[in-house]
C-alpha cells in the first residue's frame, strides 16, 4: 500500500515530495476538529520524554483528552523515579488515539504475551496509533505494522528491525506515517512526530504555534 | 557579582566568549562525581515538559537520584491529566539540587506565601537550583535571584521581569547561569539547560552523549 505514506527525514527533508505531502494532507479532512481521547500506554520502565514530549504538544489541542492507561491500571513506575496513576486498558474506548512510548521496559513487555495481545486490541480499535522510539517494536510485535513503513530508535534500530522483518523499516527518518500509524525515531523525535500529527490534522500553522509556545525548534 | 556567570543564547551563541566559558567550567572541579538528589518541585498545574525534559537528561547520570517533591507531598495533578506521586518538601536534604518547573500553576503558586517561604528554604539549602520557564518567577519571588542574571519564558517575559525588578533579566537567552542558579527560557529550553548543567559538571562529551541517546539536537 502507498496511500497516506510519508517519510519525514531530517537529513533529507528537502527531498520530501509535494506529492507525498498532498497524500498525507488528504487525511486531514477525515478527522479535523473531531474530539478524541489520547490513550497513552504505560508499562514499567517506559521512557519519560517519549511520553511527555508528545503530551506537551497534544495537551495544547482542545479537542484532545489525555489519558494514561496500563494493562491493569494503577501506579506505573520507571527508572526516572516516576510514580504515575493510570487507568486500565479496559477503559479505552474504540475509535480513539493510542500513543505507545518506548523505554528500557519495552524489552520486557515485548515478551509479555498478555500485554501484546491486549495492545493488539487497542491498536486495532484505534483510529490512529502514535509510536515513539521502541514503542514501534511493541506495536510491530502485535503484527499490526506488517507490510507498512515505520521507523524506530536509531541505537535500537537493528534489534527492532531484525525482530520484525515483515515491517518495512526506514532508517534515518525523524518520523514516518503509513495510514493510521505514525512512528518516530528515538525519544525527542516523538515531539516532532506529535507536531507533525497536529499539523496533519489541524494544519501547519497550528503545529507551528504550539512549537513556538514550547520554544521548540521543530524539525518539520 | 560576575563570577560563574554565563549567557547561553541561541541567537547569539557565537558571541559567548571563551572567558565566560572558562569561568563557568571552573565550577566543575567543585562538584564533579559527587552524588546528589535532584529534588523536582511540583505544584498544581506544572508544565509536563518543563519537568520531564530535564528528567530525561538528568536521569542518565548515575550520580543523580531523581525525587519528586511538593509542599505537602501526595498526588500532584496538572492540566495534562498527570497524577504523579510526590514526597513532602520536608524530606529534602540540604546540599542537594533543586529543579523548579514553570506552568500555568506558577501564577497561583507565586501568590501562596507558605509555598514561597518553603521554596526559599529549599533554594537557600540547595547546592544548585535549576529553573525552567516561569519556574524562575517562583524562585525570583523568594528574593534569591535579586542582583543576579536570569532568564525565563519568552511569552511570559514581561510578566516575570516587571514583577521582579531586582533581578537582571536577560531577554532572548536559551539559558543563563549565575553562581548556583541556572535559569532557562520556556519549556523545551529546559532540556538544553539540563544538558548544559551536565556539561558543566561532567564535561561536554558526557552531555553530548546524552543528547545523542535522546536524539536531541542540543542548542549548545
Amino acid at each position: 500500500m502507498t496511500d497516506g505514506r510519508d517519510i519525514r527525514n531530517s537529513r533529507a527533508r528537502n527531498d520530501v515530495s509535494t506529492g507525498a505531502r498532498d497524500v498525507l494532507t488528504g487525511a486531514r479532512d477525515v478527522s479535523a476538529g473531531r474530539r478524541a481521547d489520547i490513550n497513552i500506554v504505560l508499562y514499567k520502565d517506559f521512557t519519560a520524554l517519549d511520553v511527555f514530549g508528545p503530551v506537551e504538544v497534544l495537551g495544547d489541542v482542545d479537542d484532545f483528552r489525555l489519558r494514561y492507561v496500563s494493562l491493569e491500571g494503577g501506579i506505573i513506575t520507571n527508572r526516572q523515579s516516576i510514580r504515575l496513576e493510570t487507568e486500565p486498558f479496559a477503559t479505552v474506548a474504540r475509535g480513539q488515539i493510542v500513543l505507545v512510548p518506548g523505554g528500557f521496559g519495552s524489552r520486557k513487555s515485548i515478551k509479555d504475551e498478555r500485554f501484546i495481545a491486549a495492545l493488539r486490541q487497542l491498536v486495532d480499535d484505534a483510529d490512529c496509533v502514535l509510536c515513539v522510539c521502541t514503542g514501534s517494536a511493541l506495536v510491530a510485535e502485535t503484527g499490526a505494522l506488517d507490510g507498512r513503513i515505520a521507523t524506530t530508535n536509531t541505537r535500537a534500530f537493528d534489534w527492532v528491525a531484525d525482530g520484525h522483518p515483515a515491517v518495512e523499516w526506514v532508517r534515518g527518518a525523524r518520523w514516518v506515517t503509513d495510514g493510521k500509524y505514525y512512528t518516530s525515531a528515538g525519544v525527542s523525535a516523538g515531539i516532532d512526530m506529535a507536531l507533525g500529527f497536529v499539523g496533519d490534522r489541524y494544519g501547519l500553522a497550528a503545529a507551528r504555534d504550539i512549537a513556538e509556545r514550547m520554544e521548540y525548534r521543530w524539525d518539520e
Side-chain angles (χ1 to χ4, degrees), chain A:
Chain A
M1 56 184 296
T2 54
D3 55 304
R5 285 185 164 193
D6 198 8
I7 297 172
R8 307 305 290 269
N9 187 327
S10 61
R11 267 167 284 176
R13 60 181 161 166
N14 293 326
D15 298 333
V16 174
S17 73
T18 307
R21 288 206 182 205
D22 285 344
V23 169
L24 183 65
T25 309
R28 198 192 308 170
D29 302 324
V30 182
S31 51
R34 199 175 53 194
R35 298 188 71 80
D37 290 342
I38 310 281
N39 295 290
I40 299 154
V41 171
L42 298 184
Y43 51 87
K44 185 165 167 56
D45 292 333
F46 68 93
T47 292
L49 194 58
D50 290 20
V51 170
F52 297 108
V55 157
E56 193 61 46
V57 174
L58 302 171
D60 247 14
V61 178
D62 287 341
D63 275 351
F64 296 152
R65 179 175 69 142
L66 303 178
R67 304 181 74 244
Y68 303 88
V69 299
S70 63
L71 183 57
E72 307 280 8
I75 300 281
I76 296 292
T77 63
N78 80 357
R79 296 184 185 191
Q80 294 153 322
S81 309
I82 294 174
R83 294 179 57 81
L84 195 75
E85 285 191 4
T86 65
E87 296 177 86
F89 277 6
T91 63
V92 174
R94 294 176 65 94
Q96 308 300 314
I97 297 160
V98 168
L99 173 78
V100 185
F104 291 112
S106 63
R107 290 174 188 261
K108 187 168 182 190
S109 293
I110 207 167
K111 297 176 194 157
D112 178 345
E113 287 178 17
R114 224 177 115 243
F115 174 83
I116 293 297
L119 182 62
R120 173 78 206 221
Q121 193 66 52
L122 287 193
V123 162
D124 283 350
D125 289 350
D127 263 14
C128 185
V129 179
L130 310 174
C131 307
V132 182
C133 196
T134 54
S136 59
L138 296 172
V139 175
E141 186 71 15
T142 72
L145 295 177
D146 287 1
R148 293 184 181 274
I149 57 169
T151 198
T152 191
N153 180 285
T154 303
R155 289 192 181 176
F157 195 90
D158 291 337
W159 171 69
V160 176
D162 293 349
H164 306 93
V167 181
E168 284 182 50
W169 295 102
V170 181
R171 201 185 287 268
R174 192 68 175 162
W175 80 97
V176 164
T177 68
D178 188 341
K180 74 178 189 181
Y181 295 91
Y182 284 64
T183 53
S184 85
V187 196
S188 68
I191 301 173
D192 300 286
M193 180 186 74
L195 288 165
F197 172 70
V198 171
D200 295 341
R201 223 168 149 109
Y202 297 97
L204 204 52
R208 286 177 177 159
D209 187 61
I210 292 173
E212 189 188 317
R213 182 196 64 79
M214 293 169 59
E215 304 194 26
Y216 185 70
R217 280 172 299 273
W218 180 24
D219 183 16
E220 291 183 15

